[in-house]
Amino acid sequence: MFRKLDDTISVAAQIDPADLAEAKRQGFVAIVNNRPDGEQPGQPTDAEMAAAAGAQGLAYVAIPITHAGFTDAQVTAMGEALAAAGGPVLAYCRSGTRSTYVWALARAAAGDDAAALTAKAAAAGYDISGLWR
């Protein structure tokens, strides 16, 4: 269910409030929601997820990303969320792909090697090679 990119972050497809107890059990300290409200009928709202994360003692940040692409502000916010977490982060969106992309862009902005980021993503089942072209 949760796909580990590295020791600092895992990504997931849409989770629901009940999944946050498992995230806590697995040692995550923060949740990043990369999915905008209302993207698909029936998905939990940002407010529901924030409340559920708080009930589990997990930090929570919403950085909604649409299919239109990524902004510098979103990449910066992701980098800040990762830095502030103080432990493993679970980021989610519809499939985990947007979360993987924004993580890679944030880490590349911090100076991480693009090839290493691509390899980490590929090991988790995500092809982000198009980011660097």
Side-chain angles (χ1 to χ4, degrees):
M1 168 186 244
F2 306 148
R3 296 182 183 193
K4 184 176 181 176
L5 298 174
D6 67 20
D7 289 340
T8 66
I9 187 167
S10 293
V11 297
Q14 178 68 57
I15 58 175
D16 64 40
D19 295 321
L20 296 178
E22 178 61 19
K24 175 79 172 188
R25 189 191 71 70
Q26 289 188 27
F28 293 102
V29 300
I31 305 297
V32 175
N33 174 4
N34 294 128
R35 194 164 193 202
D37 274 348
E39 186 174 59
Q40 182 175 346
Q43 81 185 54
T45 66
D46 178 57
E48 291 169 328
M49 293 303 291
Q56 291 293 328
L58 299 166
Y60 181 88
V61 178
I63 309 169
I65 299 168
T66 69
H67 291 286
F70 305 91
T71 66
D72 289 340
Q74 291 165 325
V75 172
T76 298
M78 186 64 161
E80 291 170 351
L82 293 170
V89 172
L90 175 62
Y92 73 92
C93 58
R94 188 188 64 78
S95 67
T97 301
R98 281 174 279 176
S99 295
T100 301
Y101 272 93
V102 74
W103 158 80
L105 291 168
R107 293 308 314 148
D112 288 9
D113 177 69
L117 295 167
T118 300
K120 288 178 181 183
Y126 296 99
D127 179 4
I128 64 166
S129 59
L131 277 178
W132 323 117
R133 293 184 186 149

